[in-house]
Amino acid sequence: MYRRWTSGLWLDRALCVLLALLSLAGLAFGLIAAHPAIAGGSCFGLACAAWAAQVLFDGEALRRSRAVREARERGWC
């Protein structure tokens, strides 16, 4: 059965992708312009985007959380 994702999930995913793209651009700029602080901050941003993407783009985790939410709504938990 196909279910639409909530708008909040799409927003979270879009912000995660935006963080990754901006961090990648900052990393490129930091390396080209020889600014280690910018490059280091961008590496941190990429690590945070990857960490968030593990949750946001994992279909199995989303399926389990949806099942728990539906069980709560039915009053089983």
Side-chain angles (χ1 to χ4, degrees):
M1 183 169 139
Y2 177 75
R3 301 187 111 196
R4 293 188 69 203
W5 289 322
T6 61
S7 62
L9 182 60
W10 282 107
L11 179 62
D12 289 344
R13 286 180 174 182
L15 289 175
C16 181
V17 170
L18 182 65
L19 174 63
L21 291 175
L22 288 174
S23 296
L24 193 60
L27 179 63
F29 174 76
L31 291 175
I32 292 170
H35 290 290
I38 294 174
S42 298
C43 286
F44 180 74
L46 280 173
C48 291
W51 184 44
Q54 288 179 355
V55 176
L56 292 174
F57 293 98
D58 182 18
E60 185 65 23
L62 292 173
R63 186 192 62 78
R64 285 192 306 266
S65 68
R66 187 178 298 128
V68 169
R69 188 179 323 114
E70 288 174 355
R72 283 185 188 159
E73 289 173 358
R74 292 182 191 144
W76 289 356
C77 292

